[in-house]
Structures are given as C-alpha cells and as structure tokens.
C-alpha cells in the first residue's frame, strides 16, 4: 500500500488517476483507525475506483493541549489495518504538520451560519475553524469526487456540508451511519484510551440515548433532558458535559416539538480526561 508523506507526491499520483478518468473517494481521518473507519473506506471503495485515506492529527482543531498530546498516533498499525481489506485501490496520505500548514499553524476563521456555535462549538472553542481549515486544505490537495464522514460527529458532518456549499467545492459529501461496539459504545479513536472497565461501563451512554429516544415520544425535551442529567449526576465513571435535543437541520436546541421537524439527541461525556460523544435520531 502506497503511503505518501508529501502532497507533491500524492498530487502526482492523483493526477495520473484523473488522466485515466478514475473516480476518487476520500476518507479523511486522524488515524488510530478502527472498524468505524474501515466501514467508511469500504463504502468509499464500493462507490469509487480509487480511495485516498488521509491520516493527520490536525493540531488546529484541538482546543486542549493535553488532548492533542495524548491523541493516539499509530501509523504502522493503521496501515496494517487498511491492508486487511486486501485492496490495492487504497492510497494513504499521512502528511507532516509542515506539509499541511507550512510555517503557519493557524486556523482560517469561518462562518457556518451558526452551526458552529452550538454544542461542540460551545465546549470546544475554535474547534470547527480548525476542522474547516484542514478539511478545506485536504479537499484542495486530494480533489476527490466523494468524501465520507461518520455521523458520530454529526455536527462536523453538517458543517462540512456547509463548507462545501459556501466555497463551491466540487465534492459530494456522504454521511455514513455510526458504527458501534457490541455493547453500543460508538466507535472512536479515543476509545483506545479507555480502561476495560470504562469501556464496559460505556454501554450506559448508548442505553441512555435509546431510553431518551423512547421517552421523547411522550415527554417534552426538557423532561427528557432532566432525566438524562439525573442519570449521570452521580455516575461512577462518566461526567456529563451536555445533553441536547436539537433540530437536526439547524442544530439549534428544540423550542417546541412539531411533527414537521426532525430532531436528534446529542451527548458529550467525560471518562476521566477522555471525551466521548454520541447522538441518535429521534424521529
Ligand atoms: O473526524 C475527524 O477525524 C477529523 O475531524 C477530520 C475530519 C479528519 C479533520 O481533521
């Protein structure tokens, strides 16, 4: 499997693909790959001739220096996992910070029409400027026909769709369903940092979301939110950062339930210093 460290090299390879009229799918990642990423790559392989997987821990999207420092970096294992697909159509781009940012590790400032102000935006200031900056840069380098993102980061997916629309970037964004561990825990690179005890206990997060969904049929968003907050109030392993029921399109907190709108519940919790997020569609 080809692993390119420099954009110059991968651009040349991609140029030759384009010369042969091959379609290019793109799966941007920060590495520490797991089955959730593989599902994105498989979907991309089904829909494209070639697939580029980028592996880059993007410094500008971390608002917390410890999180950035502790973020797992496992390039060799990542490549080995991709090789288990037995596909010669996958190409890896694993650039250095220098290759992406030159000497200026800075975010561009974006206006995503308020999508960036909610939830993750509130608790991780600057995060979506960092995501927007790197994804826009990666789209410029890879120029894919289609790009694949997991719905675990539902707000990120909405923001990337807005980015592409605002900047007229000719790429189709495909949102893929959340991949879960057998106990319901949403797959995430950060799960690698959980102890086995925490991982087992983390089934509680998805269980709480599914019960909240059932409650939302007859209860108000406020009632459901209070119930969720109660569940976490004295939890042995998890500290709730937020639980929100929001309009799926605007991501604004629900005001009054109406049949015409689609709602989604979003949650962020801490297990020690490990931050986990998840979400569930409510109707
Ligand atoms: O979802 C991620 O892994 C990252 O936010 C992304 C999209 C690769 C940008 O760094």
């Amino acid at each position: 499997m080809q692993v390119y460290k420099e954009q110059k090299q991968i651009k040349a390879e991609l140029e030759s693909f384009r010369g042969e009229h091959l379609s290019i799918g793109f799966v941007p990642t920060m590495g520490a790959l797991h089955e959730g990423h593989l599902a994105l790559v498989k979907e991309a392989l089904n829909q494209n001739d070639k697939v580029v997987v980028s592996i880059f821990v993007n410094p500008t999207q971390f608002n917390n220096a410890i999180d950035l420092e502790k973020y797992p970096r496992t390039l060799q294992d990542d490549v080995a996992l991709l090789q288990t697909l037995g596909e010669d159509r996958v190409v890896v781009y694993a650039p250095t910070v220098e290759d992406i940012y030159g000497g200026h590790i800075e975010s561009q400032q974006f206006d995503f029409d308020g999508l960036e102000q909610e939830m993750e935006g509130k608790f991780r200031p600057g995060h979506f400027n960092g995501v927007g900056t790197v994804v826009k840069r990666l789209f410029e380098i890879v120029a894919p026909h289609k790009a694949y993102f997991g719905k675990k980061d539902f707000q990120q997916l909405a923001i990337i769709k807005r980015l592409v629309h605002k900047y007229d970037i000719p790429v189709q964004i495909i949102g893929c369903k959340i991949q879960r561990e057998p106990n319901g825990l949403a797959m995430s690179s950060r799960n690698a940092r959980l102890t086995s005890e925490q991982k087992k206990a983390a089934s509680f997060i998805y269980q709480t979301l599914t019960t909240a969904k059932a409650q939302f049929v007859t209860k108000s968003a406020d009632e459901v939110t209070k119930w969720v907050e109660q569940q976490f109030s004295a939890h042995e392993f998890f500290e709730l950062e937020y639980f929100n029921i929001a309009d799926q399109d605007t991501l604004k907190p629900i005001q009054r339930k109406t049949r015409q709108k689609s709602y989604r519940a979003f949650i962020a919790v801490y297990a020690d210093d490990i931050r986990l997020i998840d979400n569930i569609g409510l109707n």
Side-chain angles (χ1 to χ4, degrees):
M1 183 170 290
Q2 280 291 351
V3 179
Y4 296 101
K5 297 261 177 201
E6 287 178 28
Q7 53 178 283
K8 217 169 49 197
Q9 303 164 333
I10 190 153
K11 275 179 171 166
E13 176 81 329
L14 290 167
E15 228 17 78
S16 78
F17 294 162
R18 274 185 273 275
E20 295 170 56
H21 303 288
L22 300 176
S23 60
I24 297 164
F26 180 36
V27 181
T29 82
M30 296 208 298
L33 301 185
H34 49 68
E35 288 295 324
H37 294 113
L38 285 193
L40 299 180
V41 177
K42 283 180 197 161
E43 186 68 18
L45 281 164
N46 285 340
Q47 298 182 3
N48 300 275
D49 298 316
K50 297 281 182 180
V51 173
V52 177
V53 178
S54 67
I55 297 179
F56 178 63
V57 181
N58 171 37
T60 61
Q61 72 186 76
F62 286 81
N63 57 313
N64 177 329
I66 296 173
D67 195 21
L68 172 60
E69 188 197 315
K70 292 202 171 166
Y71 202 87
R73 289 160 173 86
T74 55
L75 181 59
Q76 275 190 1
D77 292 352
D78 292 345
V79 173
L81 187 65
L82 289 171
Q83 267 159 348
T84 64
L85 292 172
E87 274 282 355
D88 58 2
R89 297 186 292 137
V90 178
V91 171
V92 174
Y93 175 42
T96 57
V97 173
E98 174 68 26
D99 195 53
I100 293 290
Y101 284 101
H104 308 281
I105 308 175
E106 268 169 29
S107 290
Q108 187 178 335
Q109 304 299 303
F110 292 97
D111 172 1
F112 295 117
D113 305 324
L115 291 175
E116 76 282 18
Q117 315 277 350
E118 308 296 333
M119 299 180 290
E120 294 297 285
K122 277 195 187 124
F123 289 93
R124 305 185 67 189
H127 170 66
F128 287 121
N129 282 330
V131 170
T133 302
V134 78
V135 171
K136 187 161 168 277
R137 188 85 201 91
L138 289 168
F139 282 166
E140 282 159 9
I141 295 166
V142 178
H145 297 92
K146 294 183 180 168
Y148 298 78
F149 295 86
K151 287 188 181 169
K152 180 178 75 71
D153 298 291
F154 192 89
Q155 188 174 10
Q156 168 174 281
L157 174 63
I159 279 174
I160 287 164
K161 285 182 178 161
R162 195 62 55 99
L163 171 85
V164 161
H165 179 74
K166 284 207 153 183
Y167 289 85
D168 241 339
I169 305 173
V171 56
Q172 188 184 343
I173 303 300
I174 317 273
C176 301
K177 85 172 208 268
I178 301 176
Q179 300 294 316
R180 299 186 179 279
E181 301 285 352
N183 75 353
L185 172 64
M187 287 187 183
S188 161
S189 302
R190 289 188 172 86
N191 295 356
R193 295 187 51 221
L194 296 171
T195 64
S196 57
E197 216 180 6
Q198 286 170 328
K199 209 166 175 181
K200 215 164 135 199
S203 59
F204 181 73
I205 302 167
Y206 186 53
Q207 269 164 22
T208 307
L209 282 183
T210 50
T211 311
K213 176 181 172 131
Q215 290 194 3
F216 189 64
V217 176
T218 53
K219 294 199 163 114
S220 72
D222 265 1
E223 284 170 318
V224 177
T225 304
K226 283 206 179 83
W227 177 81
V228 170
E229 285 168 358
Q230 231 169 41
Q231 302 310 299
F232 280 93
S233 62
H235 198 280
E236 189 186 346
F237 292 103
F238 305 113
E239 195 184 321
L240 182 66
E241 185 169 59
Y242 66 76
F243 172 84
N244 249 355
I245 296 181
D247 180 316
Q248 185 165 283
D249 299 317
T250 63
L251 302 184
K252 295 226 176 303
I254 179 172
Q255 301 292 348
R256 178 188 287 260
K257 227 196 263 186
T258 70
R259 277 181 199 284
Q260 293 77 33
K261 289 191 172 164
S262 296
Y263 299 106
R264 195 165 270 268
F266 296 86
I267 195 165
V269 308
Y270 274 98
D272 295 330
D273 65 341
I274 307 160
R275 191 167 182 279
L276 303 172
I277 60 171
D278 201 348
N279 65 82
I280 192 168
L282 298 179
N283 54 343

